[in-house]
Amino acid sequence: MLAAYFVYLIFQLWTHRQLFEAEDEGGDENIEAEEAVIGFWSGFAWLAGMTVFTALLSEYVVDTIEDASDSWGLSVSFLSIILLPVVGNAAEHAGAIIFAFKNKLDISLGVALGSATQIAMFVVPLCVTVACGMGVNMDQNFNLIETGSLAVAIIVTSFTLQGLESPADGRRSSESSYRIGDNGTSGGTN
Protein backbone atom coordinates (compact mmCIF):
# COMPACT_ATOMS: atom_id res chain seq x y z
CA MET A 1 0.00 0.00 0.00
CA LEU A 2 2.92 2.34 0.64
CA ALA A 3 4.18 1.74 -2.90
CA ALA A 4 0.68 2.33 -4.27
CA TYR A 5 0.50 5.63 -2.35
CA PHE A 6 3.78 6.85 -3.82
CA VAL A 7 2.64 5.83 -7.32
CA TYR A 8 -0.58 7.77 -6.65
CA LEU A 9 1.47 10.85 -5.70
CA ILE A 10 3.53 10.59 -8.87
CA PHE A 11 0.32 10.21 -10.89
CA GLN A 12 -1.32 13.21 -9.22
CA LEU A 13 1.63 15.58 -9.03
CA TRP A 14 3.66 14.85 -12.17
CA THR A 15 2.33 12.54 -14.86
CA HIS A 16 -1.36 13.54 -14.91
CA ARG A 17 -1.33 16.89 -13.16
CA GLN A 18 -3.86 18.39 -15.60
CA LEU A 19 -6.58 16.03 -14.36
CA PHE A 20 -6.36 17.46 -10.84
CA GLU A 21 -6.19 21.17 -11.65
CA ALA A 22 -9.27 23.33 -11.16
CA GLU A 23 -11.27 24.06 -14.28
CA ASP A 24 -11.42 27.68 -15.41
CA GLU A 25 -14.90 29.09 -15.81
CA GLY A 26 -15.11 31.06 -19.07
CA GLY A 27 -17.59 33.69 -17.87
CA ASP A 28 -15.54 34.90 -14.90
CA GLU A 29 -12.97 37.08 -16.69
CA ASN A 30 -13.36 39.97 -14.22
CA ILE A 31 -12.15 37.97 -11.23
CA GLU A 32 -8.60 38.82 -10.27
CA ALA A 33 -6.10 36.17 -9.25
CA GLU A 34 -5.59 35.86 -5.52
CA GLU A 35 -2.20 37.04 -4.33
CA ALA A 36 -0.16 35.22 -1.73
CA VAL A 37 -0.20 36.88 1.68
CA ILE A 38 3.20 35.54 2.73
CA GLY A 39 6.19 34.28 0.77
CA PHE A 40 7.40 30.71 0.35
CA TRP A 41 10.12 30.75 3.02
CA SER A 42 7.91 32.58 5.50
CA GLY A 43 5.18 30.00 4.94
CA PHE A 44 7.73 27.19 5.29
CA ALA A 45 8.98 28.64 8.60
CA TRP A 46 5.40 28.93 9.91
CA LEU A 47 4.67 25.35 8.84
CA ALA A 48 7.79 24.04 10.61
CA GLY A 49 7.04 26.03 13.76
CA MET A 50 3.41 24.93 13.91
CA THR A 51 4.47 21.31 13.30
CA VAL A 52 6.79 21.40 16.31
CA PHE A 53 4.14 23.12 18.42
CA THR A 54 1.51 20.55 17.38
CA ALA A 55 3.91 17.67 18.16
CA LEU A 56 4.46 19.05 21.67
CA LEU A 57 0.73 19.45 22.26
CA SER A 58 0.11 15.94 20.93
CA GLU A 59 2.59 14.50 23.41
CA TYR A 60 0.79 16.36 26.20
CA VAL A 61 -2.60 15.01 25.06
CA VAL A 62 -1.32 11.43 24.84
CA ASP A 63 0.18 11.68 28.34
CA THR A 64 -3.08 12.92 29.86
CA ILE A 65 -5.63 10.78 28.01
CA GLU A 66 -5.92 8.14 30.75
CA ASP A 67 -6.40 10.80 33.43
CA ALA A 68 -9.06 12.48 31.29
CA SER A 69 -10.77 9.13 30.83
CA ASP A 70 -10.96 8.62 34.59
CA SER A 71 -12.10 12.14 35.42
CA TRP A 72 -14.71 12.39 32.63
CA GLY A 73 -16.01 8.84 33.01
CA LEU A 74 -15.41 8.01 29.35
CA SER A 75 -13.53 5.04 27.97
CA VAL A 76 -10.01 5.47 26.62
CA SER A 77 -11.18 3.87 23.36
CA PHE A 78 -13.89 6.49 22.86
CA LEU A 79 -11.51 9.34 23.58
CA SER A 80 -8.72 8.04 21.35
CA ILE A 81 -10.81 6.68 18.45
CA ILE A 82 -13.69 9.17 18.25
CA LEU A 83 -13.05 12.39 20.14
CA LEU A 84 -9.32 12.91 19.58
CA PRO A 85 -9.39 12.62 15.74
CA VAL A 86 -12.39 14.96 15.47
CA VAL A 87 -10.75 17.61 17.65
CA GLY A 88 -7.34 17.02 16.09
CA ASN A 89 -8.66 17.61 12.58
CA ALA A 90 -10.74 20.65 13.50
CA ALA A 91 -8.57 23.01 11.45
CA GLU A 92 -8.82 20.72 8.44
CA HIS A 93 -12.61 20.53 8.77
CA ALA A 94 -12.87 24.30 9.23
CA GLY A 95 -10.74 24.87 6.13
CA ALA A 96 -12.94 22.56 4.07
CA ILE A 97 -16.07 24.37 5.28
CA ILE A 98 -14.59 27.79 4.50
CA PHE A 99 -13.66 26.69 0.97
CA ALA A 100 -17.17 25.28 0.49
CA PHE A 101 -18.71 28.62 1.54
CA LYS A 102 -16.46 30.36 -1.01
CA ASN A 103 -17.91 28.00 -3.67
CA LYS A 104 -14.57 26.24 -4.10
CA LEU A 105 -15.94 22.73 -3.78
CA ASP A 106 -12.99 21.23 -5.64
CA ILE A 107 -10.62 22.36 -2.88
CA SER A 108 -13.05 21.30 -0.16
CA LEU A 109 -13.42 17.81 -1.63
CA GLY A 110 -9.68 17.65 -2.25
CA VAL A 111 -9.00 18.32 1.43
CA ALA A 112 -11.48 15.73 2.66
CA LEU A 113 -10.76 12.97 0.17
CA GLY A 114 -7.01 13.65 0.15
CA SER A 115 -6.90 13.30 3.92
CA ALA A 116 -8.83 10.04 3.82
CA THR A 117 -6.58 8.69 1.07
CA GLN A 118 -3.48 9.70 2.97
CA ILE A 119 -4.61 7.95 6.14
CA ALA A 120 -5.77 4.79 4.38
CA MET A 121 -2.86 4.38 1.98
CA PHE A 122 0.06 5.97 3.83
CA VAL A 123 -0.36 6.41 7.58
CA VAL A 124 -1.87 3.01 8.42
CA PRO A 125 0.62 0.98 6.32
CA LEU A 126 3.50 3.11 7.65
CA CYS A 127 2.41 2.42 11.24
CA VAL A 128 2.25 -1.31 10.50
CA THR A 129 5.71 -1.23 8.89
CA VAL A 130 7.26 0.73 11.77
CA ALA A 131 5.58 -1.55 14.33
CA CYS A 132 6.98 -4.59 12.53
CA GLY A 133 10.46 -3.05 12.69
CA MET A 134 10.02 -2.44 16.42
CA GLY A 135 8.84 -6.01 17.05
CA VAL A 136 5.24 -5.05 17.82
CA ASN A 137 2.61 -7.40 16.39
CA MET A 138 0.33 -5.20 14.31
CA ASP A 139 -1.51 -5.99 11.11
CA GLN A 140 -4.23 -4.63 8.85
CA ASN A 141 -6.75 -7.35 9.67
CA PHE A 142 -9.70 -5.11 10.48
CA ASN A 143 -12.79 -6.26 12.37
CA LEU A 144 -16.33 -6.13 11.04
CA ILE A 145 -17.06 -2.65 12.48
CA GLU A 146 -14.00 -1.06 10.83
CA THR A 147 -14.68 -2.72 7.49
CA GLY A 148 -18.37 -1.84 7.64
CA SER A 149 -17.75 1.81 8.48
CA LEU A 150 -15.22 2.05 5.63
CA ALA A 151 -17.76 0.54 3.21
CA VAL A 152 -20.48 2.97 4.37
CA ALA A 153 -18.09 5.93 3.99
CA ILE A 154 -17.20 4.87 0.45
CA ILE A 155 -20.86 4.42 -0.51
CA VAL A 156 -21.90 7.80 0.95
CA THR A 157 -19.01 9.56 -0.81
CA SER A 158 -19.87 7.86 -4.08
CA PHE A 159 -23.54 8.87 -3.90
CA THR A 160 -22.57 12.42 -2.91
CA LEU A 161 -20.21 12.83 -5.85
CA GLN A 162 -22.45 11.04 -8.36
CA GLY A 163 -24.88 13.94 -8.68
CA LEU A 164 -22.18 16.56 -9.21
CA GLU A 165 -21.45 17.79 -12.70
CA SER A 166 -17.83 18.40 -11.80
CA PRO A 167 -16.09 18.89 -8.48
CA ALA A 168 -15.03 22.37 -9.58
CA ASP A 169 -18.44 23.97 -9.63
CA GLY A 170 -20.48 21.94 -7.12
CA ARG A 171 -23.73 22.13 -9.08
CA ARG A 172 -26.06 19.21 -9.58
CA SER A 173 -26.17 17.62 -13.03
CA SER A 174 -29.84 18.48 -13.41
CA GLU A 175 -32.06 21.02 -11.74
CA SER A 176 -34.80 18.46 -11.29
CA SER A 177 -32.73 16.52 -8.78
CA TYR A 178 -33.71 19.16 -6.21
CA ARG A 179 -37.44 18.68 -6.77
CA ILE A 180 -38.72 15.40 -5.46
CA GLY A 181 -41.73 14.16 -7.34
CA ASP A 182 -41.58 16.87 -10.01
CA ASN A 183 -42.41 15.38 -13.39
CA GLY A 184 -41.00 18.31 -15.35
CA THR A 185 -44.23 20.28 -15.72
CA SER A 186 -44.35 23.86 -14.50
CA GLY A 187 -46.91 23.52 -11.74
CA GLY A 188 -50.62 22.85 -11.70
CA THR A 189 -52.45 19.73 -12.80
CA ASN A 190 -52.94 18.56 -16.35
Side-chain angles (χ1 to χ4, degrees), residues 1 21 50 86 132:
M1 287 184 76
E21 292 178 354
M50 291 296 115
V86 169
C132 181

mmCIF file of all heavy atoms in Angstrom, residues 1 21 50 86 132:
data_model
loop_
_atom_site.group_PDB
_atom_site.id
_atom_site.type_symbol
_atom_site.label_atom_id
_atom_site.label_comp_id
_atom_site.label_asym_id
_atom_site.label_seq_id
_atom_site.Cartn_x
_atom_site.Cartn_y
_atom_site.Cartn_z
ATOM 1 N N MET A 1 0.822 -1.201 0.000
ATOM 2 C CA MET A 1 0.000 0.000 0.000
ATOM 3 C C MET A 1 0.863 1.261 0.000
ATOM 4 O O MET A 1 0.474 2.270 -0.583
ATOM 5 C CB MET A 1 -0.957 -0.016 1.185
ATOM 6 C CG MET A 1 -2.102 -1.003 1.017
ATOM 7 S SD MET A 1 -3.282 -0.961 2.348
ATOM 8 C CE MET A 1 -4.174 0.513 1.954
ATOM 9 N N GLU A 21 -6.164 19.714 -11.737
ATOM 10 C CA GLU A 21 -6.192 21.174 -11.653
ATOM 11 C C GLU A 21 -7.622 21.654 -11.784
ATOM 12 O O GLU A 21 -8.439 21.046 -12.468
ATOM 13 C CB GLU A 21 -5.309 21.781 -12.741
ATOM 14 C CG GLU A 21 -3.840 21.516 -12.523
ATOM 15 C CD GLU A 21 -2.964 22.069 -13.619
ATOM 16 O OE1 GLU A 21 -3.509 22.561 -14.624
ATOM 17 O OE2 GLU A 21 -1.741 22.003 -13.471
ATOM 18 N N MET A 50 4.702 25.485 13.478
ATOM 19 C CA MET A 50 3.413 24.926 13.906
ATOM 20 C C MET A 50 3.472 23.404 14.024
ATOM 21 O O MET A 50 2.801 22.808 14.867
ATOM 22 C CB MET A 50 2.293 25.335 12.950
ATOM 23 C CG MET A 50 1.958 26.808 13.006
ATOM 24 S SD MET A 50 1.302 27.268 14.627
ATOM 25 C CE MET A 50 2.568 28.369 15.198
ATOM 26 N N VAL A 86 -11.493 13.866 15.856
ATOM 27 C CA VAL A 86 -12.385 14.964 15.469
ATOM 28 C C VAL A 86 -11.804 16.300 15.911
ATOM 29 O O VAL A 86 -11.748 17.265 15.141
ATOM 30 C CB VAL A 86 -13.800 14.748 16.049
ATOM 31 C CG1 VAL A 86 -14.643 15.986 15.893
ATOM 32 C CG2 VAL A 86 -14.461 13.564 15.388
ATOM 33 N N CYS A 132 6.290 -3.335 12.854
ATOM 34 C CA CYS A 132 6.976 -4.587 12.526
ATOM 35 C C CYS A 132 8.471 -4.452 12.786
ATOM 36 O O CYS A 132 9.106 -5.368 13.315
ATOM 37 C CB CYS A 132 6.720 -4.958 11.074
ATOM 38 S SG CYS A 132 7.495 -6.492 10.552
#
